[in-house]
């Protein structure tokens, strides 16, 4: 078992790292959760420590986390970056109705719950979460929400 201090995790997320492409898998997929088909970009999906990456306002997995998805942050970490509901390639309900991004009063909580249920659907019961801009606000909601907060590694 290993322990990574939060500042070390942040440092690794922000720096460029060259990892063996043969040992690290990167995939794009659709995941159905909470009546939406979400576009998800993953790096190293079999890693023990998974990190949910929530993009900022109008951002997507690739606009806000492409460097981390391409370079990684270490062999022991996996990344799951999502296109939020109604943005990027996440514009379809599970019954095939297309829609655009809306901003209800609780959209941070909506994004937080979407992220948590995407991780659950992917089989990750415990994970860390980071966010950029609005994604950071959603990450705080996820870590504090009684329904899903136990999934967040603290």
């Amino acid at each position: 078992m290993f322990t990574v201090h939060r500042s070390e995790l942040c440092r690794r997320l922000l720096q460029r790292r060259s990892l063996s492409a043969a040992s690290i898998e990167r995939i794009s997929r659709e995941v159905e959760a909470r009546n939406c088909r979400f576009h998800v970009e993953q790096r190293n999906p079999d890693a023990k420590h998974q990190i949910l990456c929530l993009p900022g306002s109008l951002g997507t997995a690739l606009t806000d986390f492409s460097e981390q998805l391409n370079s990684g942050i270490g062999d022991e970490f996996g990344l799951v970056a999502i296109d939020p509901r109604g943005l990027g390639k996440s514009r379809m309900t599970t019954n095939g109705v297309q829609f655009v991004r809306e901003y209800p009063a609780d959209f941070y909580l909506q994004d937080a719950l979407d992220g948590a249920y995407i991780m659950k659907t992917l089989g990750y019961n415990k994970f860390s979460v980071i966010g950029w801009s609005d994604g950071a606000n959603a990450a705080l909601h996820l870590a504090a929400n009684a329904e899903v907060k136990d999934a967040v590694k603290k």
Side-chain angles (χ1 to χ4, degrees):
M1 178 145 218
F2 64 91
T3 303
V4 177
H5 191 272
R6 286 187 182 131
S7 62
E8 173 68 7
L9 180 60
C10 291
R11 184 187 66 73
R12 288 185 184 193
L13 283 168
L14 295 174
Q15 79 175 148
R16 291 178 189 234
R17 300 217 13 166
S18 294
L19 299 174
S20 166
S23 67
I24 304 296
E25 183 181 3
R26 167 120 184 257
I27 55 176
S28 297
R29 62 169 57 171
E30 274 191 4
V31 175
E32 291 189 3
R34 293 176 31 96
N35 289 330
C36 184
R37 290 184 194 148
F38 291 94
H39 176 75
V40 175
E41 296 282 336
Q42 285 185 267
R43 180 174 180 91
N44 203 9
D46 296 325
K48 186 174 182 177
H49 191 131
Q50 293 294 319
I51 302 169
L52 172 63
C53 304
L54 299 174
S57 178
L58 304 178
T60 65
L62 292 178
T63 62
D64 290 6
F65 296 103
S66 62
E67 185 172 326
Q68 292 79 17
L69 288 163
N70 289 331
S71 301
I73 60 169
D75 290 343
E76 67 270 23
F77 297 101
L79 300 173
V80 178
I82 67 171
D83 287 1
R85 177 183 296 265
L87 294 174
K89 296 177 184 174
S90 296
R91 296 173 178 242
M92 194 76 67
T93 63
T94 53
N95 61 0
V97 176
Q98 193 165 359
F99 64 95
V100 296
R101 178 73 171 182
E102 294 180 355
Y103 291 92
D106 65 347
F107 78 94
Y108 289 134
L109 178 59
Q110 175 180 270
D111 289 350
L113 294 175
D114 287 346
Y117 283 98
I118 288 168
M119 295 299 278
K120 183 177 182 178
T121 300
L122 291 171
Y124 305 126
N125 296 318
K126 286 288 226 185
F127 54 89
S128 294
V129 59
I130 61 167
W132 172 253
S133 187
D134 277 352
N137 291 320
L140 289 173
H141 280 268
L142 197 161
N145 184 275
E147 183 179 342
V148 293
K149 71 179 182 179
D150 290 338
V152 178
K153 289 183 179 181
K154 297 172 181 74

